[in-house]
Amino acid sequence: MSVLRLGVLVSGRGSNLQAIINEIEAGTLKAEIAVVISNKHGVPALDRAERHGLNAVFLDPKAVADTPDPRQTYDQILLETLQRHQVQLVVLAGYMKMITSILIDSYELRIMNIHPSLLPSFPGLHAQRQALHHGVKVAGCTVHFVTEGMDTGPIILQQAVPVEEGDTEEDLSERILKVEHDLFPRAIRLFAEGRLRVTGRTVRLSDA
Ligand code: GRF
């Protein structure tokens, strides 16, 4: 059986990318990273990809800024890049650009995102800050399929993380991030094993 080919989209630090690379290299995740694509130049995530001998591509949003619909044009190029590398599952690992229907329709239920809150609470930017401002006692993270809309797709896995007295945004983010690094590879593994069944908003896990 051929190994699942991942396309990982990044914009920054790349610690989730690193967690996925580590599991693949350790043999605990049966997948391969066909390409890593960034919308930001010179970010640590691209360095990590290169260090591990992966295809690392920077696609510059400015290159399409003069087209009638820059977001769609950008995603058309993104889509062609993913297809050229025969990507089967798109993984958004800290990708800070909204994706459009061009990508979502072509990779329906084959795009995953990780978000640092227990969705549907606190979608969008600064989820950990939103959680602290709201005074919640339990935070967490979510891996979900990407559909149109901000952080709204069917939920694959979630894990709770406690909020401690006196937590700063950095404290909470760090505690959540540790859990993300376990949760994201787990969700990808379930996909690779063909164990995710989606009905409407609900994702069920079938037996191995
Ligand atoms: C993570 O907190 C993730 O949940 C969010 O963006 C952050 C990316 O971090 N979507 P990294 O680039 O993977 O280190």
Side-chain angles (χ1 to χ4, degrees), residues 4 9 11 25 30-31 49 56 75 91 97 100-101 129 131 138 142 153 163 171-172 176 181 184 186-187 203 205-206:
L4 179 73
L9 307 191
S11 300
E25 290 185 350
K30 302 268 181 285
D75 276 3
V91 174
K97 192 174 191 304
T100 65
S101 56
R129 190 185 304 169
V138 178
T142 304
V163 177
D171 296 333
L172 181 59
I176 293 173
H181 294 163
F184 214 179
R186 264 170 56 202
V203 181
L205 304 189
S206 65

Side-chain angles (χ1 to χ4, degrees), residues 114-118 139-143 157-159 176 179-180 183:
I114 187 149
H115 184 75
S117 79
L118 292 176
C141 49
T142 304
V143 180
L157 291 176
Q158 289 189 300
Q159 195 160 321
I176 293 173
V179 176
E180 291 184 36
L183 203 70

Side-chain angles (χ1 to χ4, degrees), residues 12-17 93-94 96 113-116 128 177 180:
R13 178 178 54 186
S15 70
N16 278 287
L17 167 67
M96 300 303 285
N113 181 44
I114 187 149
H115 184 75
Q128 305 93 330
L177 195 63
E180 291 184 36

Side-chain angles (χ1 to χ4, degrees), residues 115-117 119-136 150-151 169 172:
H115 184 75
S117 79
L119 290 171
S121 293
F122 316 125
L125 289 176
H126 307 301
Q128 305 93 330
R129 190 185 304 169
Q130 293 183 55
L132 285 175
H133 283 171
H134 201 86
V136 298
M150 175 76 95
D151 303 322
E169 188 180 342
L172 181 59

Side-chain angles (χ1 to χ4, degrees), residues 20 29 45 75 165 168 178 185 195:
I20 296 164
L29 175 58
D75 276 3
E165 198 85 19
T168 62
K178 283 207 186 85
R195 293 182 55 196

